């Protein structure tokens, strides 16, 4: 007869108390997971989280109380969990898991890693570290009522990056600056404006009218000439938005009239833009100031769910500018503010600026709650979902520690029962993808770019770090000389940053060997020179076309690519609107089906989808379709927990 300790066999209970495990993230899922881990019998636990506790966390992250606001999540979580099991040995790190201190040897010291993260960059990094250390990783994520847990084991299962992922949704600059047509365009513009005025200026986040808009010309030659002219100073001394704002003393009235009157009047002179669109309506501060005492309010309920009138948003804009001006002054010369959805003045500013722009372009204005959800890329987190997913993580961990990795499953939590009355649907884990540029035996990718226009710095930051998830890449050109293009050692190759790839002899067919020693990861990059990329597209990864769907015949029996660019969403249907890809309904519970050969249908209208990454943990699954009632479409939102 087997000896048991509680509900566990003695051998397994002993294994739990002896093994070291790492929990990455102490937020919504992390709080539930840490509680489960200590109560299950794990004794040696390390937890890492860079975040501090915010008041908005308290409704679901039960290890935290109001007195903890502003403190380290990892440290407070440790202290709270020790009340459940004082004998546990818990180490807390208030740090980023991407810190070089947490190298491959650090990961090798654990028998198991459990992810409870909320961003893709960290997920990619932990995936690679666990592959390099050859230890099992349990990945997880939630999106509202939906959730997922999966197991990643080197050589046995797909890794987190085996399937292409959707990237953050981006919009053409001319749409944001000249012709917004959706509330999200105005919200993105308002966030850009915050950075231009109070934060770190970014040339890609310009908010003034775009005179290089291709719609202003009817032939390519005119478009090219206009674009070239916009980059030249001529007789005009160009001043940055921040410098101009400083010169006014951040005067709210001058800012208002410049942004919502003068710039709009300038847009109206671009008459070709308005031949088939409704022209914008400039606002005047004095006109609406007279209406200031008449504050129209629509909507009932909480204050954040109400929509003010134009006069109300004029006043909110003025107050928020004055507050942010004071905050900037308190930080001293050269200081910058960082936009945070949980910072009231910053949120007031974006709410006011976005709504005023919506009004100008004849859109229905949004409540502060709605704008916060869209600007912060949030799907409301639900404590119960986090609790269920955390429980499933521990169940998969017990299988791994029992030596039954083959019995592990990808498990989906659905919003509604499937035809078999199941909310939890397990499916078999997929084997590694032979074409994965992370876990294949010899990772290799092909990138299209213009070698005469692509800077070395862009290769490093936008391609290697942002696209391919590296932390500290070293790049060597395979030119027979071993030319070092990029070095992770500070100061060694910084002089190369502002040079073009062609300056180093890189041309069509060149090959670059890229190494990230922190991740113990090597990638071979094949370069294809291309001068006719689409407007605003700096590079393309060949074969990485997540927004192009395979045909039905191609889908059968094959893995479905799960992804699209920081971020449009994943799709297995080319006709589905991109903004409806955040959630899925799983309809089958047959374990013999793999996680990449089952059909899914979106709850928001019946389009086939795969469980999207953002912060959901991104499944690579298809599921049998089941019609569901239409849900409201939340523009461009990404999951929080």
């Amino acid at each position: 007869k087997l000896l048991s300790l509680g509900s566990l066999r003695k051998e397994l209970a002993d294994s739990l108390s002896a093994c070291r495990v790492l929990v990455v993230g102490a937020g919504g899922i992390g709080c539930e997971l840490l509680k489960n881990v200590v109560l299950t019998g794990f004794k040696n636990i390390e937890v890492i989280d860079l975040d501090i506790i915010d008041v908005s966390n308290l409704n679901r992250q039960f290890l935290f109380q109001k007195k903890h606001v502003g403190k380290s999540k990892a440290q407070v979580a440790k202290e709270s969990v020790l009340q459940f099991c004082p004998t546990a040995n818990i180490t807390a790190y208030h740090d980023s898991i991407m810190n070089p201190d947490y190298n491959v040897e650090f990961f090798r010291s654990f028998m198991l890693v459990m992810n409870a993260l909320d961003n893709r960059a960290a997920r990619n990094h932990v995936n690679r570290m666990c592959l390099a250390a050859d230890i099992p990783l349990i990945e997880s994520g939630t999106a509202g009522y939906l959730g997922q847990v999966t197991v990643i084991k080197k050589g046995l299962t797909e890794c987190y990056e085996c399937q292409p992922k959707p990237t953050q949704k981006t919009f053409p600059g001319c749409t944001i600056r000249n012709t917004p047509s959706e509330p999200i365009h105005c919200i993105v513009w308002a966030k850009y404006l915050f950075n231009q005025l109070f934060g770190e200026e970014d040339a890609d986040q310009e908010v003034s009218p775009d005179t290089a808009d291709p719609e202003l010309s009817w032939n390519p030659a005119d478009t090219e000439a206009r674009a070239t002219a916009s980059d030249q100073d001529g007789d005009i001394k160009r001043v940055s938005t921040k410098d101009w704002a400083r010169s006014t003393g951040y005067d709210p009235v001058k800012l208002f009239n410049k942004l919502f009157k003068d710039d709009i009047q300038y847009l109206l002179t671009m008459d070709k833009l308005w031949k088939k669109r409704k022209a914008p309506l400039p606002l005047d501060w004095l006109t609406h100031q007279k209406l200031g005492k008449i504050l129209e309010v629509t909507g009932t309920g909480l204050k954040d769910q109400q929509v003010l009138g134009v006069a109300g948003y004029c006043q909110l804009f003025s107050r928020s500018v004055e507050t942010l001006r004071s905050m900037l002054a308190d930080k001293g010369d050269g200081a910058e503010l960082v936009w945070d959805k949980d910072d009231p003045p910053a949120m007031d500013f974006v709410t006011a600026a976005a709504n005023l722009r919506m009004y100008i372009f004849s859109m229905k204005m949004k409540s502060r709650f709605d704008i916060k959800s869209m600007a912060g890329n949030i799907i409301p987190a639900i404590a119960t979902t986090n609790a269920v997913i955390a429980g499933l993580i521990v169940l998969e961990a017990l299988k791994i520690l029992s030596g039954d990795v083959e019995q592990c499953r990808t498990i989906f939590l659905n919003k509604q029962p499937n035809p078999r009355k199941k909310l939890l649907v397990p499916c078999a884990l997929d084997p590694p993808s032979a074409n994965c540029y992370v876990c294949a035996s010899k990772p290799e990718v092909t990138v299209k770019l213009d070698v005469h226009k692509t800077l070395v710095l862009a290769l490093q930051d936008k391609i290697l770090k942002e696209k391919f998830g590296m932390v500290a890449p070293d790049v060597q050109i395979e030119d027979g000389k071993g030319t070092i293009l990029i070095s992770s050692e500070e100061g060694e190759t910084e002089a190369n940053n502002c040079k073009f790839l062609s300056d180093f002899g890189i041309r069509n067919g060149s090959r670059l060997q890229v190494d990230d020693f922190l991740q113990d990861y090597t990638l071979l990059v094949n370069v294809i020179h291309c001068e006719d990329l689409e407007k605003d597209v700096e590079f393309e990864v060949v074969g990485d076309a997540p927004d192009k769907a395979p045909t039905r015949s191609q889908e059968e029996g094959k893995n479905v690519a799960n992804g699209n660019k920081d971020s449009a969403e994943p799709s297995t249907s080319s006709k589905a609107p991109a903004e409806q890809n955040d959630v899925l309904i799983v309809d089958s519970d047959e374990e013999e089906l793999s996680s990449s050969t089952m059909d899914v249908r979106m709850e928001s209208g019946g389009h086939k989808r795969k469980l999207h990454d953002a912060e959901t943990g991104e499944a690579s699954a298809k599921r049998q379709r089941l019609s569901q009632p239409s849900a409201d479409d939340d523009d461009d939102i990404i999951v929080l927990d």
Side-chain angles (χ1 to χ4, degrees):
K1 184 177 180 179
L2 292 174
L3 294 175
S4 64
L5 191 64
S7 58
L8 302 177
R9 299 192 316 274
K10 185 178 185 303
E11 294 87 344
L12 180 56
D14 291 343
S15 177
L16 262 60
S17 62
C19 75
R20 295 180 71 227
V21 296
L22 174 64
V23 174
V24 187
I29 296 174
C31 282
E32 297 285 350
L33 179 58
L34 285 166
K35 174 259 295 178
N36 289 349
V37 163
V38 295
L39 293 179
T40 303
F42 288 87
K43 297 294 185 184
N44 300 293
I45 306 158
E46 299 194 17
V47 57
I48 182 168
D49 197 307
L50 180 61
D51 284 351
I52 60 173
I53 299 162
D54 183 82
V55 68
S56 64
N57 303 143
L58 304 183
N59 70 328
R60 65 193 182 282
Q61 297 175 21
F62 73 100
L63 295 180
F64 311 140
Q65 300 174 31
K66 193 171 182 180
K67 65 183 179 181
H68 296 136
V69 170
K71 296 182 179 180
S72 161
K73 282 189 176 182
Q75 188 60 41
V76 174
K78 166 191 171 179
E79 295 166 1
S80 298
V81 164
L82 284 174
Q83 296 179 42
F84 296 113
C85 182
T87 59
N89 176 26
I90 303 176
T91 303
Y93 302 93
H94 177 57
D95 204 352
S96 168
I97 191 62
M98 299 174 75
N99 186 318
D101 291 341
Y102 309 112
N103 54 23
V104 174
E105 291 305 314
F106 173 80
F107 277 83
R108 283 197 183 119
S109 67
F110 302 100
M111 287 190 66
L112 178 66
V113 175
M114 306 180 205
N115 263 358
L117 286 163
D118 64 356
N119 71 88
R120 188 182 312 153
R123 280 191 166 111
N124 288 344
H125 181 71
V126 174
N127 173 61
R128 296 178 188 192
M129 299 305 287
C130 288
L131 290 172
D134 195 11
I135 59 170
L137 167 65
I138 303 178
E139 183 58 85
S140 66
T142 61
Y145 292 100
L146 306 174
Q148 176 197 354
V149 173
T150 193
V151 173
I152 296 169
K153 182 68 174 73
K154 182 177 181 179
L156 183 65
T157 74
E158 279 189 338
C159 81
Y160 179 74
E161 298 171 82
C162 272
Q163 297 292 346
K165 299 298 188 291
T167 51
Q168 294 266 347
K169 193 163 196 175
T170 57
F171 306 97
C174 53
T175 299
I176 299 299
R177 295 164 65 180
N178 291 359
T179 55
S181 58
E182 303 173 25
I184 187 64
H185 298 155
C186 299
I187 294 168
V188 170
W189 178 87
K191 288 179 68 176
Y192 285 180
L193 178 61
F194 178 91
N195 287 331
Q196 292 290 338
L197 292 175
F198 307 106
E200 181 178 0
E201 291 182 279
D202 185 336
D204 293 331
Q205 296 184 358
E206 183 55 67
V207 293
S208 298
D210 183 7
T211 57
D213 192 325
E215 277 195 65
L216 296 174
S217 303
W218 298 120
N219 63 70
D222 287 349
T223 298
E224 184 177 354
R226 188 180 286 273
T228 304
S230 71
D231 292 332
Q232 299 173 351
D233 284 349
D235 296 328
I236 301 172
K237 176 65 177 176
R238 296 181 182 272
V239 179
S240 75
T241 303
K242 183 178 286 186
D243 287 341
W244 176 81
R246 283 174 179 159
S247 72
T248 70
Y250 284 98
D251 185 308
V253 177
K254 291 181 179 178
L255 286 176
F256 182 96
N257 282 330
K258 193 268 183 193
L259 296 165
F260 304 116
K261 180 183 177 183
D262 298 344
D263 282 357
I264 303 304
Q265 288 176 337
Y266 184 75
L267 279 176
L268 290 172
T269 67
M270 303 178 187
D271 55 315
K272 290 180 181 178
L273 292 178
W274 317 114
K275 287 185 179 296
K276 296 182 180 180
R277 294 184 180 91
K278 185 174 181 179
L281 176 68
L283 296 177
D284 181 79
W285 175 264
L286 290 177
T287 301
H288 291 282
Q289 191 66 11
K290 294 174 183 177
L291 303 174
K293 295 181 181 179
I294 310 172
L295 298 182
E296 324 93 278
V297 176
T298 60
T300 58
L302 298 175
K303 181 180 178 181
D304 279 5
Q305 294 176 326
Q306 297 175 344
V307 179
L308 306 180
V310 179
Y313 286 122
C314 290
Q315 293 186 14
L316 184 62
F317 178 83
S318 177
R319 290 198 305 271
S320 61
V321 168
E322 290 172 352
T323 303
L324 293 169
R325 176 180 62 192
S326 298
M327 292 170 63
L328 198 59
D330 290 343
K331 283 179 169 284
D333 293 339
E336 295 172 345
L337 301 181
V338 178
W339 191 84
D340 185 342
K341 63 179 170 46
D342 294 317
D343 179 31
M347 196 62 235
D348 284 346
F349 177 85
V350 168
T351 299
N355 271 313
L356 290 169
R357 193 162 173 88
M358 284 181 222
Y359 180 84
I360 286 168
F361 285 90
S362 303
M363 296 177 220
K364 185 178 179 181
M365 294 188 290
K366 297 278 188 179
S367 70
R368 178 192 173 100
F369 178 85
D370 290 336
I371 289 177
K372 184 174 182 178
S373 295
M374 296 166 74
N377 295 330
I378 300 170
I379 286 177
I382 296 172
T384 310
T385 308
N386 292 337
V388 173
I389 292 303
L392 293 171
I393 293 172
V394 173
L395 291 178
E396 294 303 303
L398 294 178
K399 294 178 188 176
I400 293 170
L401 295 175
S402 297
D404 295 328
V405 177
E406 293 79 6
Q407 299 302 314
C408 290
R409 295 288 182 265
T410 293
I411 305 171
F412 297 95
L413 170 64
N414 295 323
K415 186 174 182 180
Q416 298 177 0
N418 66 8
R420 299 190 183 190
K421 313 299 183 188
K422 299 288 184 67
L423 278 174
L424 291 174
V425 181
C427 58
L429 298 168
D430 287 309
S433 168
N435 298 320
C436 178
Y437 64 73
V438 174
C439 68
S441 57
K442 294 182 178 179
E444 185 172 340
V445 292
T446 299
V447 179
K448 276 187 184 180
L449 48 76
D450 189 331
V451 298
H452 302 300
K453 295 182 178 179
T454 303
L455 295 172
V456 172
L457 185 63
L459 170 68
Q460 174 184 278
D461 291 348
K462 295 187 177 181
I463 299 178
L464 300 179
K465 289 186 177 181
E466 186 176 322
K467 176 63 181 177
F468 295 124
M470 295 187 174
V471 176
D474 291 271
V475 181
Q476 178 177 310
I477 306 172
E478 293 193 350
D479 56 0
K481 308 175 198 173
T483 303
I484 303 299
L485 185 65
I486 298 172
S487 172
S488 58
E489 295 295 328
E490 188 174 349
E492 284 193 2
T493 56
E494 287 181 4
N496 296 346
N497 286 350
C498 295
K499 296 180 181 179
F500 296 106
L501 298 186
S502 57
D503 295 337
F504 297 89
I506 296 174
R507 53 196 172 92
N508 190 55
S510 291
R511 291 157 66 91
L512 310 176
Q513 180 175 311
V514 187
D515 294 286
D516 190 316
F517 295 106
L518 172 62
Q519 297 178 342
D520 194 14
Y521 174 49
T522 298
L523 178 67
L524 185 64
V525 178
N526 298 296
V527 176
I528 295 181
H529 173 62
C530 181
E531 297 181 356
D532 57 355
L533 293 171
E534 294 181 13
K535 178 178 169 58
D536 296 328
V537 174
E538 296 182 62
F539 67 93
E540 288 180 2
V541 178
V542 176
D544 183 15
D547 51 346
K548 295 179 181 178
T551 63
R552 180 67 186 174
S553 61
Q554 290 174 317
E555 286 181 354
E556 292 175 359
K558 294 185 179 182
N559 289 353
V560 179
N562 181 17
N564 225 351
K565 183 172 183 162
D566 192 278
S567 188
E569 320 304 341
S571 174
T572 58
S573 168
S574 59
K575 296 180 181 179
E579 62 269 18
Q580 292 183 338
N581 300 326
D582 294 306
V583 288
L584 60 68
I585 295 294
V586 182
D587 307 322
S588 173
D589 63 340
E590 300 178 15
E591 286 197 19
E592 62 272 18
L593 296 179
S594 77
S595 63
S596 66
T597 56
M598 301 172 74
D599 271 320
V600 301
R601 174 175 282 266
M602 284 292 299
E603 65 171 334
S604 56
H607 301 292
K608 292 165 78 175
R609 286 291 184 277
K610 294 168 93 180
L611 184 54
H612 153 243
D613 156 48
E615 277 55 275
T616 61
E618 269 119 65
S620 56
K622 294 196 298 172
R623 293 288 185 274
Q624 294 175 354
R625 301 196 296 176
L626 173 67
S627 294
Q628 297 291 343
S630 262
D632 290 338
D633 181 15
D634 292 324
D635 286 331
D636 308 302
I637 44 184
I638 301 176
V639 222
L640 180 63
D641 284 329

